[in-house]
Amino acid sequence: MSLAIGIVSPKGGSGKTTTAVHLARSIQKTGDRVAILDTDTQGSSLAWQSKHKDGGLVPVHPANTDDVAGALSRVQDSADVIVIDGAAKIEARTGRIVDVSDVVLIPVQPTPLDSWGVEGVVEAVQQSGTPAAFLITQQKPRTNLAKEVAQGLAETYELPVLDSRIAHRVAYAEALFDGRTALDLPNATKAKQEIRALTTELQQFIREYV
């Protein structure tokens, strides 16, 4: 049975697709068979896959917006882990993604407006009982705002905030342009460390709660 990881955020620009493809690639590099389900109408993960000269590093499949469970079942036999790239706003299918996921990550930019806007996702998670955690993305190096937002999220919602952070780095954007990830760049040392730390922490979270 495949493990489904839902990446769900109510805000565009939260780093949802960046998180999805980097996490998928990182897990793939550990030896698991990995696939991505792109449920976003913008098709960002599909566009990322199409930019790679050899047809893509990680298989990306479009998911019917009304049948996320069906799309998941069609991929399960070919993947050990399925990362679901969710839509960039709260709608009915957000709840469906949460329901079919074994664990959910909620990317949040370190701004008060973004942290205030996650209530709909939290409600969907609470209704489904799916284990979930916040992930701070787009962190500006050498600032304290991410720490303040993380503390606010933890105090406002009864969900953990991962210690791992995804910073605002050029390496992520550069890699996505040609269908790669920062893990595939010759340098990008700090970005690679962030993604590997996220993968390790998420694996530990899954062992404890899934």
Side-chain angles (χ1 to χ4, degrees), residues 138-180:
Q138 307 291 327
Q139 174 179 304
K140 300 296 189 297
R142 297 181 296 277
T143 65
N144 293 322
L145 188 55
K147 181 179 180 180
E148 295 172 3
V149 168
Q151 183 177 348
L153 288 168
E155 292 174 351
T156 304
Y157 306 104
E158 296 181 358
L159 292 177
V161 182
L162 297 184
D163 292 329
S164 303
R165 301 278 191 270
I166 304 299
H168 182 78
R169 299 189 188 280
V170 174
Y172 292 118
E174 286 182 343
L176 295 180
F177 271 124
D178 59 1
R180 296 185 295 169

Side-chain angles (χ1 to χ4, degrees), residues 4 8 20 29 32 55 75 77 87 95 103 109 112 129 164 171 174 177 182 186 206:
V8 182
K29 280 180 169 288
D32 285 320
V75 178
D77 289 341
V103 61
Q109 289 193 66
S164 303
E174 286 182 343
F177 271 124
I206 290 169

Side-chain angles (χ1 to χ4, degrees), residues 5 7 23 27 103-105 133 162 164 197-208:
I5 303 172
I7 312 294
L23 182 61
I27 295 172
V103 61
V104 169
L105 278 184
L162 297 184
S164 303
L198 168 61
T199 304
T200 299
E201 186 175 7
L202 180 59
Q203 289 170 334
Q204 180 62 36
F205 182 84
I206 290 169
R207 284 193 289 269
E208 290 184 11

Side-chain angles (χ1 to χ4, degrees), residues 8 56 93 97-98 103 115 135 157:
V8 182
R93 60 185 165 153
I97 293 169
V98 171
V103 61
S115 64
L135 170 67
Y157 306 104

Side-chain angles (χ1 to χ4, degrees), residues 1 7 19-21 34 40 57 81 88 96 99 101 105 126 138 146 156 162 164 185 209:
M1 196 66 163
I7 312 294
T19 300
V21 301
V34 183
D40 196 341
L57 295 170
V81 179
R96 298 190 191 108
D99 288 341
S101 297
L105 278 184
Q126 291 174 337
Q138 307 291 327
T156 304
L162 297 184
S164 303
L185 299 181
Y209 296 102

Side-chain angles (χ1 to χ4, degrees), residues 53-131:
K53 61 181 181 179
D54 295 325
L57 295 170
V58 181
V60 182
H61 305 271
N64 188 305
T65 56
D66 297 318
D67 187 21
V68 177
L72 188 68
S73 66
R74 288 188 289 273
V75 178
Q76 282 183 332
D77 289 341
S78 61
D80 303 308
V81 179
I82 301 170
V83 178
I84 307 175
D85 187 1
K89 60 181 179 179
I90 294 297
E91 48 190 28
R93 60 185 165 153
T94 299
R96 298 190 191 108
I97 293 169
V98 171
D99 288 341
V100 302
S101 297
D102 296 299
V103 61
V104 169
L105 278 184
I106 309 171
V108 180
Q109 289 193 66
T111 72
L113 289 176
D114 285 75
S115 64
W116 297 335
V118 299
E119 185 173 351
V121 173
V122 174
E123 289 179 357
V125 165
Q126 291 174 337
Q127 290 172 5
S128 71
T130 305

